[in-house]
Amino acid sequence: MSTNYDDCDLFGIKNEAERYIYGSWLTLVVISSLLGDTTILVASIKYKAFRLHRTVVVFIQHIAVCDMFTAVGMLLPVVVSLIYDSGGSNEVIKFIRFFIGYWVFSASPLLIGAMSVGKFLLVRYPLRARTWSKMKTHKLCVGLWILSLTVPVQHLLVDMDDVVFDCRTYMWNYRYSSEIWNTLMPITTVLAYLTPNIIIIIATILLLTSARRVAKRMQENLRWQGTMAVVITATIFTISFLPITVYFIAGPLLETDSEEPGPFFNRYYRVTEAVLFTNVMANFFTYGLTVASFRDFLKTKLIKKLLPCLSIGNLSQLTRTSQGKYFLIFALFKIQLLAINLSTRAFT
């Protein structure tokens, strides 16, 4: 059903500048995710820094864990493969990388979709929401994690030999050579990817509409921070999925019998994967800008520890001004620039 892209002499990144850019971007995503998502988990679990409904906080925690799995189990090995220009020969690592990649790729839209629907129901039916507990939400998230396991397990059960190293993105992907995928592929795509994204879009629109109606009916300011945190998270996720959605829709229409597919199947596909990983590191910035209690935690707990280590001018004055909420973004950006510099040296 698809071209085998495991020939790195033909499909690998030979342009050194492109290799540096791609590798540095992934390194930036990994560093940002590890720093940001660890901060989110510590802030929400130990310091109770998210003063939002308990259900939303649980979803935030599971999404942070999913992003960390993506960074460590999926993207960090890609950076190593880029450095060595190889996927390695260890069969166990090969299947672990493939399994984690397809697992988190399936779990992420389910978790974000559930959070969007959950927040909409919280706004629409606030009295019923009082009975929702953290434990019930955790059980729901665990169920979604288990449900998402069906995608990688299905692929491996059909044909484990179809797991190949994709030299376009330096990941272990699937080549779908079995005829059964003519039937399974549309079903899997609709159920695992298309439906959750449609649910995210619809739930986000309904959430905004309901929140505005509630605000007008109450004739006072609705606490928008939880709503905006969910809306921005869902929006960034949906936008990051658009380029790869275009690839999967247009790909079958542009397929040729040529042994060397054009730039749409090579360079554009690599760009779609890079854009897709934006949502892996975006949540830290989203919550820092939308959730006041989390922003206060960053200013009072984290910034005081970072101040001696960073040299961005006038930091103490910045944290006391109205622009203080943006400080940590600049601080993390400073760390990210250092990560890019280190990763560039690694690829030389």
Side-chain angles (χ1 to χ4, degrees):
M1 288 184 63
S2 62
T3 304
N4 189 350
Y5 292 100
D6 65 348
D7 185 351
C8 288
D9 291 332
L10 190 59
F11 301 110
I13 304 176
K14 299 307 177 185
N15 185 291
E16 291 301 313
E18 187 176 353
R19 178 187 294 272
Y20 295 156
I21 293 173
Y22 186 57
S24 298
W25 168 249
L26 294 184
T27 304
L28 176 63
V29 172
V30 171
I31 297 292
S32 298
S33 176
L34 292 178
L35 289 174
D37 291 315
T38 300
T39 302
I40 290 171
L41 291 174
V42 171
S44 62
I45 296 173
K46 182 178 180 180
Y47 294 97
K48 312 298 181 184
F50 284 84
R51 295 176 186 173
L52 305 173
H53 193 279
R54 53 187 174 273
T55 299
V56 176
V57 175
V58 171
F59 283 126
I60 287 175
Q61 292 169 351
H62 280 268
I63 292 171
V65 171
C66 185
D67 289 342
M68 292 183 71
F69 277 165
T70 304
V72 176
M74 188 176 179
L75 300 185
L76 187 58
V78 173
V79 175
V80 176
S81 295
L82 274 168
I83 294 174
Y84 291 100
D85 198 23
S86 170
S89 57
N90 189 297
E91 289 292 308
V92 175
I93 295 178
K94 161 187 168 180
F95 287 112
I96 290 176
R97 286 181 59 180
F98 169 81
F99 191 92
I100 292 177
Y102 275 61
W103 186 23
V104 297
F105 191 73
S106 304
S108 185
L110 292 178
L111 291 170
I112 294 178
M115 182 174 69
S116 302
V117 173
K119 182 59 180 177
F120 162 67
L121 295 177
L122 286 172
V123 174
R124 186 69 177 81
Y125 306 104
L127 296 180
R128 296 182 184 179
R130 294 178 181 178
T131 62
W132 298 354
S133 65
K134 292 173 58 177
M135 183 56 63
K136 288 183 179 179
T137 310
H138 277 299
K139 289 180 179 179
L140 172 61
C141 290
V142 170
L144 295 177
W145 280 104
I146 295 174
L147 180 61
S148 62
L149 282 173
T150 59
V151 174
V153 170
Q154 177 193 49
H155 284 72
L156 294 178
L157 288 178
V158 171
D159 192 349
M160 295 180 65
D161 293 333
D162 267 0
V163 177
V164 295
F165 187 68
D166 192 333
C167 294
R168 299 173 299 173
T169 57
Y170 289 78
M171 301 177 190
W172 288 96
N173 280 337
Y174 204 82
R175 64 185 174 190
Y176 301 100
S177 63
S178 175
E179 290 296 325
I180 194 174
W181 285 110
N182 290 323
T183 303
L184 288 180
M185 177 60 81
I187 298 174
T188 302
T189 301
V190 170
L191 294 180
Y193 305 117
L194 183 60
T195 301
N197 276 279
I198 292 176
I199 291 175
I200 291 172
I201 295 172
I202 295 175
T204 302
I205 295 173
L206 292 176
L207 171 58
L208 285 172
T209 304
S210 297
R212 292 183 64 182
R213 288 177 180 174
V214 171
K216 290 180 179 179
R217 186 170 63 247
M218 294 173 61
Q219 295 182 348
E220 60 183 28
N221 291 330
L222 180 72
R223 295 184 64 182
W224 283 93
Q225 58 177 1
T227 299
M228 293 312 300
V230 173
V231 168
I232 294 176
T233 299
T235 301
I236 292 175
F237 180 83
T238 302
I239 293 175
S240 69
F241 250 86
L242 287 179
I244 200 167
T245 302
V246 172
Y247 174 84
F248 283 120
I249 293 175
L253 303 176
L254 300 176
E255 279 186 350
T256 64
D257 295 330
S258 173
E259 294 184 358
E260 184 176 356
F264 178 82
F265 293 94
N266 191 356
R267 187 166 283 109
Y268 176 77
Y269 179 71
R270 190 178 301 126
V271 171
T272 66
E273 291 284 348
V275 172
L276 183 62
F277 297 132
T278 303
N279 72 86
V280 175
M281 66 175 186
N283 292 336
F284 171 82
F285 300 97
T286 299
Y287 306 145
L289 291 173
T290 58
V291 182
S293 57
F294 180 58
R295 188 163 62 245
D296 291 339
F297 162 80
L298 297 178
K299 292 166 63 177
T300 58
K301 297 289 185 181
L302 197 58
I303 289 180
K304 289 181 179 179
K305 296 181 180 180
L306 286 176
L307 280 175
C309 306
L310 298 170
S311 57
I312 305 177
N314 301 321
L315 295 183
S316 58
Q317 180 181 358
L318 181 60
T319 57
R320 289 193 292 267
T321 65
S322 60
Q323 293 180 325
K325 63 181 180 181
Y326 300 108
F327 162 72
L328 198 77
I329 295 177
F330 296 132
L332 187 55
F333 183 67
K334 175 77 171 180
I335 297 173
Q336 292 166 348
L337 291 178
L338 294 176
I340 292 176
N341 184 39
L342 291 174
S343 63
T344 301
R345 292 180 182 180
F347 297 139
T348 56

